Every structure is written in C-alpha cells, then in structure tokens.
Amino acid sequence: VQLQASGGGLVQAGGSLRLSCAASGRIFSIADMGWYRQAPGKQRELVATIGSGLNTNYADSVKGRFTISRDNAKNTVYLQMNSLKPDDLGIYYCNADVRRQRYENWGRYWGQGTQVTVSS
C-alpha cells in the first residue's frame, strides 16, 4: 500500500491550500484516514482525522479553518486549509488504516509528507 500526498506549497498568511492523499496498491478496505503535521523542532501532531462513516476529528488549533474530507471511490483524503497562519508551517503527512484483504489485520500506512510554508 502506498500513500501519495500532494498540494503543499508556499502561501501568504490568510491564504488557502488543498492537500490530497491517494492510497494505492492492494486495498480491501480503509477505515480511518488522517493528516498530521510536524513543524521544525517539534513532534508530529494530529491535524484531523476522518472515519469511513465520515465522522471527523480536528485539533483545536485548526477547528473552523481546516476541513477534512474523503472520496472512498478514489481511496483519497483531502485537507482544505483556509485562513492559514505562520504557525501552520510544517510537513504534512497523511495516513490510512488499511486492510489489504478480508481477514487480514489492519495496518497503518503513511505518506511521504508535503511541505506547507506560510509567510507572514
């Protein structure tokens, strides 16, 4: 299973970016999908998650500004980021809990990360 993230870049404070992450390979089903970020010198932190039933969870710091969504037909998760702040800077990683075949255990897979830079 591979996760390919895209959509990062440089944006001015107050601007918007949309991240995408597509899962490919041997996939029977996907449960939770999510986005995490890691700023320089800091630990990786949760940004948002979305379950297979479209239930969502957000870090307090992004509530009201970021929206996570998914397209199950495309095995893709998105992160719409609005009103970006310099503190949102970091490498954004996607992940997915995947079952590769019907009776296999779930495994968590990670994308390679995409850089988000917000200038003030």
Side-chain angles (χ1 to χ4, degrees):
V1 177
Q2 298 82 38
L3 272 66
Q4 181 67 47
S6 61
L10 172 64
V11 64
Q12 288 188 331
S16 298
L17 284 174
R18 187 184 192 223
L19 306 183
S20 300
C21 176
S24 61
R26 187 171 187 176
I27 297 172
F28 176 75
S29 63
I30 301 177
D32 290 351
M33 304 184 81
W35 290 95
Y36 289 69
R37 67 186 180 191
Q38 188 166 18
K42 295 186 178 181
Q43 290 187 332
R44 190 175 297 188
E45 64 176 3
L46 169 73
V47 176
T49 62
I50 184 166
S52 58
L54 305 183
N55 49 303
T56 58
N57 179 51
Y58 294 93
D60 288 344
S61 60
V62 307
K63 283 181 181 177
R65 300 188 298 121
F66 291 11
T67 302
I68 190 170
S69 61
R70 64 191 282 173
D71 184 334
N72 290 331
K74 297 181 179 179
N75 292 332
T76 299
V77 62
Y78 305 96
L79 186 68
Q80 178 66 44
M81 305 185 293
N82 299 328
S83 302
L84 282 160
K85 304 175 181 179
D87 284 350
D88 294 318
L89 173 149
I91 301 175
Y92 282 67
Y93 298 92
C94 58
N95 72 5
D97 293 335
V98 178
R99 179 179 283 176
R100 295 182 302 171
Q101 48 190 358
R102 181 181 291 273
Y103 299 111
E104 188 176 274
N105 290 334
W106 294 95
R108 174 158 290 186
Y109 297 86
W110 290 86
Q112 84 285 5
T114 184
Q115 177 73 47
V116 172
T117 303
V118 184
S119 62
S120 57

